[in-house]
Amino acid sequence: EVQLVQSGAEVKKPGESLKISCKGSGYSFTNYWIGWVRQMPGKGLEWMGIIYPGDSDTRYSPSFQGQVTISADKSISTAYVQWSSLKASDTAMYYCARSETGMTSNLDKWGQGTLVTVSS
Amino acid sequence: NFMLTQPHSVSESPGKTVTISCTRSSGSIASNYVQWYQQRPGSSPITVIYEDDQRPSGVPDRFSGSIDSSSNSASLTITGLKTEDGADYYCQSYDSSSRVFGGGTKLTVL
């Protein structure tokens, strides 16, 4: 069974750093892209970016370029998104999702989401 | 980048048909695939339509997708509405630089 399992909820203070994860199983992790999607409280889905774990090719949404870093460790079938200095406005649910291609294919499997709360 | 505009909410009765639109602000809607995702409260999204009009296995054939080049929009149509179809629906497409989601449509079935 294809699964994407995300790391647990986080509570952080403004200015702190954070790295959340998404572990794939049940398929060849290096043959699919992993994308990240933000959903702020009560709001819609926002595209953050995507990575191909096979060669770490990474594409960012213009809105998130420079705000986060997307990475992957293919040896443990895990993708990450990290922040160097969190802001209160980073409070959101973050989803990872799998895709056959960087742009054209649908996101056919989603993780359960990681809730990030940033508050002083 | 372009934008995808959806109605904020729609409401319809069980057994009826509803259509949700998704209008692309620039660039041709027909040039890049449109996907539709359903998100029930407290759950992760799932694909209900991909590549404009394809239905994943397990999605009822009550769900269909289409493209209208004249209005530069995509549509998701759900026939024979059930209360369980009540959810948020998002269209998504892309250009050369990024994927883009529509703002989402809240479907109420009552």
Side-chain angles (χ1 to χ4, degrees), chain B residues 1 11 23 25-26 28-29 43 53 56 75 83 88 95 100 103 110:
Chain B
N1 259 27
S11 179
T23 302
S25 62
S26 61
S28 171
I29 192 75
S43 296
D53 58 6
S75 293
T83 54
D88 293 327
D95 62 11
V100 172
L110 44 65

Side-chain angles (χ1 to χ4, degrees), chain A residues 37 39 43-47 50 60-62 95 99 101-108 110-112, chain B residues 1 33 35 37 39 43-47 50-51 90 92 94-103:
Chain A
V37 177
Q39 188 167 38
K43 302 299 184 182
L45 306 176
E46 298 176 89
W47 181 250
I50 197 166
Y60 291 93
S61 160
Y95 293 100
S99 177
T101 67
M103 290 295 180
T104 61
S105 301
N106 68 309
L107 303 165
D108 68 349
W110 293 66
Q112 83 277 19
Chain B
N1 259 27
Y33 288 131
Q35 343 284 0
Y37 302 96
Q39 186 180 32
S43 296
S44 302
I46 63 167
T47 305
Y50 68 98
E51 293 180 1
Y90 296 90
Q92 178 258 304
Y94 54 91
D95 62 11
S96 60
S97 62
S98 184
R99 298 186 187 224
V100 172
F101 285 99

Side-chain angles (χ1 to χ4, degrees), chain A residues 22 27 29-36 47-60 69-74 78-81 96-102, chain B residues 99:
Chain A
C22 169
Y27 72 100
F29 187 73
T30 53
N31 286 353
Y32 286 80
W33 296 73
I34 295 288
W36 288 93
W47 181 250
M48 298 173 66
I50 197 166
I51 188 166
Y52 188 70
D55 62 6
S56 292
D57 183 6
T58 308
R59 323 269 177 89
Y60 291 93
T69 301
I70 293 171
S71 60
D73 184 342
K74 62 185 179 183
T78 301
Y80 305 94
V81 62
C96 64
R98 186 186 79 158
S99 177
E100 286 190 1
T101 67
Chain B
R99 298 186 187 224

Side-chain angles (χ1 to χ4, degrees), chain A residues 4-17:
Chain A
L4 294 175
V5 178
Q6 298 185 231
S7 49
E10 302 274 0
V11 179
K12 291 289 191 179
K13 290 182 168 33
E16 291 185 333
S17 62

